[in-house]
Amino acid sequence: MLDFAQNTLDGIMVGASYALLGLGFTLTFGVMRRLNLSYGPTIMMGVYAGAYVSLNVYGSLLLALAIAVAVSVIVGLVIEGVCFRAVQSDNPLASMVSAFAMWMVLEEIIILLTWGRLFPVQNPSGLSTFDIGPISVRGDYFALFVAAVVLMVGIYWLLFHTAFGRKVRAVGENRKSAQLVGIDVNRVSREIFVLTSAFGGFVAFFIAASLHQITPGFGLWATVKGLIVMILGGIGSVPGAVLGGLLLGIIELQAVWYIGASYRDLIAFALLFLFLVVRPRGLLGQGERSS
Amino acid sequence: MKHVKTLTFAAGVSALLAAPAMAFQDEGTVRLGSTEPLTGPGAVYGQPTIIGKKIAIEEINAAGGIMIDGKKVKLDLFSEDDQAKPDQGVSIFRKLESSDDVLAITGTIYSRVSETMWGLLQKKLDDPNDTGLQVPAMSFLSMKAGVASISPWAFRNAGVECDQHEQLIDLVQEANGGAEFQSVVAALESNEAHSAAAWRVCYQGSLKKRNWDTKEYVEWFEQDTDFSVQVRRIRRAKPDLFILSSHYQANVGAMLEMARQGVTPKYMISHIGADAVEMIDLGGKAVEGVVFPSTAFFADPGVKSLLDEYSKRTGEWYMPAFTYLAYEGMYLMKHVFETAGIKNQPDTLAEDRRKVRDALASLKDWPNPMGLKLTMGATGDISRPYVYVTIKDGTFKLWWHPTKGYMNP
């Protein structure tokens, strides 16, 4: 029972970061009605840039974090321009394929510049842990969890209690109608890319710090986790992304303990498949809307 | 004027067509194929390898080249990028063999790619019904057990992995006062071919031979990010011997988690996948104490000039052993090309390739650049002495040396 509780707590901690990755995908999809497959590599570029500066120029955690966020935003804007605004086709596949191609380009740039080397990322809380009764909690996971909760609350407030949020939701509901009532849809799209890239870069930096490293495989990892969370939670649903992330984190950790690490991904994908068949809208999704 | 242009064009085409006849000995070169992952995720291994090869070739050519059939010729490397992709490796292997007409093909790094490429080779020597390719092929890594046994045309200079692990287990037991370990725990990076083969073929055999059971056994994947559950199991087993059949990418994360959970096995051993500066850069104190095999320790005086040149070109303070293996491999090829009795002419290519294969297969007591004598085994693997390296005080240090014994126990 104690192990079950420990796995659950660890799963919640890990799941909070999954939730934010899923949130990045779901917000972009909610507004663009297109899948941004280069989201993972975008935030990976940011973390690599931050880690590079920290390693070779000036070893400051805050500077590295600021650069990670800034570079993620810049790359995110390039992706928005190249893969979404420039690709005017009504077929969402066109943007998806374009974003996939950009994923490959970004990953190859990193590999060409670094030989595929892993870069160290400073972990502010080191290897510290603290206990809640018999349960052990990692200091860095707890910090990541708190940061994720604050960000999620902030994003929720932004979306549901501000004029910007109303525009975003209007564009997400119906792009053409939003345009008809005078909303600058392209501007909202750009702003959503800035927002998702910024918090993606922030979260990716803390995830990388918890691993003490950033690897060229991070983009793929973040993409897979984010997509699963988006589907589990329900495409376009902010609370759904949170629930999906926590669910995935808990199930993964329990699977590793009770079944074995080799089955963890298998179970995660089986769960995804199950949702797609039984509940394609996900936990809190609203189903298809017209664009 | 039109005639002049036509004649010039015709002369150009003729010159191009005639070029192959001028190749090889007549053009003063001997062709050697090379394939590594120079881009893509495998570049982390491929780039240090090609640098080792290039340094050796520049040294060889600067010293006059290779003496073949009474004439000094330059070593000409035909380098390709397989991106660690088996299908790309197969295309490259065919191109080097048939279009580039190289005398031998060196590479690649990843066992899965070497296995696929070498699957094209003749399986039975002198069997007219076996139409496999007949070109000597040599890898300077591809550590997976048994890879060079695929074909009599395939060779490897990285050593025999099972011998390394067998010897290392003997050494840690000896260091432990000869006492049996009370709790042996193993961790396998189960989605990586080399690690899986090392565990199943080598480590498990060594444990079985000693009638040792693992008290705990865990698995993870190369790209895993969270090791808390596996390490909790390891912690409960209170290991005194911890076997890591895993590469540095996962080792670092797992060992950081071990440090976090206070797991401190008396001995930690890993395969050659721990031979990476990232172990120290990323793992810090958490990776201290791990011991792994190596063929060439970077601080050995025998590799100092190579290390200096490697550091100059890369800015790195550490040089992985496989850079040396590639460097050594070029000198080995030079030796074989010089002693095999080849003619290095286009029309003697098939005959020359066979001579090179036979010379590699019968290699005996060849003194390598470090002064060690190397002999080719029946499986296509060079048997060689190993050193064992540990991480201590933030750097790599020799843990055991064949002539000096235990150095940093």
Side-chain angles (χ1 to χ4, degrees), chain B residues 305-339:
Chain B
S305 64
L306 174 63
L307 173 66
D308 289 346
E309 186 59 31
Y310 180 82
S311 298
K312 203 169 100 185
R313 294 184 188 204
T314 61
E316 305 273 345
W317 63 272
Y318 181 71
M319 180 183 72
F322 52 87
T323 301
Y324 168 76
L325 288 172
Y327 175 84
E328 175 191 282
M330 294 298 103
Y331 276 96
L332 174 58
M333 286 296 163
K334 173 182 183 285
H335 166 75
V336 168
F337 290 175
E338 286 183 330
T339 56

Side-chain angles (χ1 to χ4, degrees), chain A residues 258-282:
Chain A
Y258 289 106
I259 305 170
S262 300
Y263 296 92
R264 183 201 53 205
D265 290 347
L266 190 69
I267 287 168
F269 285 115
L271 184 71
L272 175 69
F273 184 71
L274 188 73
F275 264 74
L276 285 171
V277 172
V278 178
R279 194 177 169 81
R281 292 178 180 184

Side-chain angles (χ1 to χ4, degrees), chain A residues 66-132:
Chain A
I67 287 173
V69 172
V71 172
S72 296
V73 169
I74 292 167
V75 178
L77 284 171
V78 172
I79 301 294
E80 192 269 335
V82 173
C83 303
F84 292 86
R85 205 153 14 105
V87 179
Q88 292 290 342
S89 169
D90 285 338
N91 188 346
L93 272 178
S95 288
M96 196 170 86
V97 171
S98 169
F100 178 75
M102 277 304 283
W103 169 354
M104 296 296 116
V105 169
L106 295 176
E107 205 169 272
E108 202 54 49
I109 287 172
I110 287 290
I111 288 167
L112 284 171
L113 292 176
T114 67
W115 292 0
R117 296 280 296 270
L118 285 58
F119 273 29
V121 179
Q122 193 187 340
N123 184 327
S125 62
L127 299 175
S128 66
T129 58
F130 63 90
D131 295 333
I132 303 174

Side-chain angles (χ1 to χ4, degrees), chain B residues 51 67 86 100 108 145 191 202-203 219 224 229 236 253 256 288 301 307 309 338 343 345 399-400:
Chain B
I51 289 172
M67 181 64 78
D100 294 335
T108 185
N191 68 333
C202 304
Y203 286 121
E219 292 184 357
D224 272 359
V229 171
R236 288 183 188 169
L256 283 165
E288 298 231 334
L307 173 66
E309 186 59 31
E338 286 183 330
K343 298 289 181 196
Q345 297 289 349
W399 182 78
W400 184 90

Side-chain angles (χ1 to χ4, degrees), chain B residues 74-373:
Chain B
K74 305 284 187 197
L75 194 53
D76 190 6
L77 197 72
F78 283 61
S79 175
E80 297 284 352
D81 175 12
D82 60 50
Q83 294 190 310
K85 293 174 181 167
D87 55 334
Q88 196 156 315
V90 164
S91 304
I92 285 170
F93 200 79
R94 285 190 187 282
K95 174 181 173 288
L96 289 168
E97 190 273 340
S98 60
S99 172
D100 294 335
D101 286 338
V102 298
L103 190 52
I105 299 172
T106 61
T108 185
I109 304 290
Y110 283 81
S111 300
R112 64 173 188 270
V113 186
S114 294
E115 273 181 316
T116 317
M117 291 189 324
W118 292 352
L120 301 170
L121 291 169
Q122 189 182 48
K123 305 289 182 299
K124 288 183 182 171
L125 206 59
D126 298 325
D127 181 353
N129 296 319
D130 187 339
T131 56
L133 301 182
Q134 297 176 36
V135 58
M138 186 160 199
S139 170
F140 307 132
L141 201 60
S142 302
M143 283 304 295
K144 184 178 170 186
V147 166
S149 306
I150 289 174
S151 163
W153 292 85
F155 302 93
R156 185 169 56 168
N157 75 338
V160 182
E161 180 161 32
C162 290
D163 291 354
Q164 296 174 349
H165 303 320
E166 180 63 23
Q167 187 178 26
L168 183 52
I169 290 176
D170 272 345
L171 287 169
V172 288
Q173 191 175 8
E174 192 185 320
N176 196 36
E180 274 196 18
F181 291 101
Q182 299 302 306
S183 176
V184 179
V185 171
L188 168 65
E189 176 189 38
S190 58
N191 68 333
E192 206 285 323
H194 163 220
S195 295
W199 171 247
R200 291 185 185 119
V201 182
C202 304
Y203 286 121
Q204 280 195 314
S206 291
L207 295 180
K208 193 174 175 188
K209 188 179 148 189
R210 292 167 176 79
N211 284 322
W212 292 355
D213 287 324
T214 50
K215 192 166 176 188
E216 186 58 84
Y217 165 80
V218 298
E219 292 184 357
W220 52 62
F221 288 169
E222 188 178 7
Q223 68 278 12
D224 272 359
T225 54
D226 183 88
F227 302 86
S228 56
V229 171
Q230 292 95 326
V231 171
R232 213 181 322 143
R233 286 194 184 281
I234 295 170
R235 188 186 70 206
R236 288 183 188 169
K238 295 184 178 148
D240 50 4
L241 174 61
F242 179 48
I243 300 172
L244 272 157
S245 193
S246 177
H247 288 76
Y248 68 90
Q249 292 92 334
N251 285 353
V252 169
M255 294 175 87
L256 283 165
E257 185 61 32
M258 285 171 71
R260 191 176 282 118
Q261 294 195 24
V263 187
T264 51
K266 194 170 181 186
Y267 293 97
M268 289 187 285
I269 59 176
S270 174
H271 63 45
I272 191 71
D275 182 18
V277 72
E278 285 89 341
M279 286 286 287
I280 293 172
D281 286 350
L282 311 176
K285 289 222 171 291
V287 300
E288 298 231 334
V290 68
V291 181
F292 60 90
S294 178
T295 44
F297 184 53
F298 82 116
D300 189 302
V303 299
K304 187 171 184 319
S305 64
L306 174 63
L307 173 66
D308 289 346
E309 186 59 31
Y310 180 82
S311 298
K312 203 169 100 185
R313 294 184 188 204
T314 61
E316 305 273 345
W317 63 272
Y318 181 71
M319 180 183 72
F322 52 87
T323 301
Y324 168 76
L325 288 172
Y327 175 84
E328 175 191 282
M330 294 298 103
Y331 276 96
L332 174 58
M333 286 296 163
K334 173 182 183 285
H335 166 75
V336 168
F337 290 175
E338 286 183 330
T339 56
I342 60 174
K343 298 289 181 196
N344 190 30
Q345 297 289 349
D347 54 352
T348 62
L349 181 60
E351 195 184 318
D352 287 347
R353 284 174 171 172
R354 176 56 191 260
K355 285 178 180 172
V356 168
R357 190 221 80 88
D358 291 347
L360 279 168
S362 60
L363 186 81
K364 193 168 187 310
D365 291 336
W366 172 67
N368 75 354
M370 289 174 71
L372 300 169
K373 290 186 174 174

Side-chain angles (χ1 to χ4, degrees), chain A residues 8-19:
Chain A
T8 303
L9 187 70
D10 287 347
I12 289 170
M13 299 285 164
V14 172
S17 57
Y18 292 175

Side-chain angles (χ1 to χ4, degrees), chain A residues 191-233:
Chain A
E191 286 167 348
I192 272 295
F193 264 85
V194 170
L195 177 70
T196 55
S197 303
F199 78 71
F202 184 85
V203 170
F205 187 85
F206 275 101
I207 294 173
S210 76
L211 309 172
H212 294 241
Q213 58 181 280
I214 180 74
T215 81
F218 185 87
L220 173 64
W221 179 87
T223 302
V224 170
K225 299 297 179 196
L227 285 177
I228 294 177
V229 167
M230 183 178 76
I231 302 291
L232 294 184

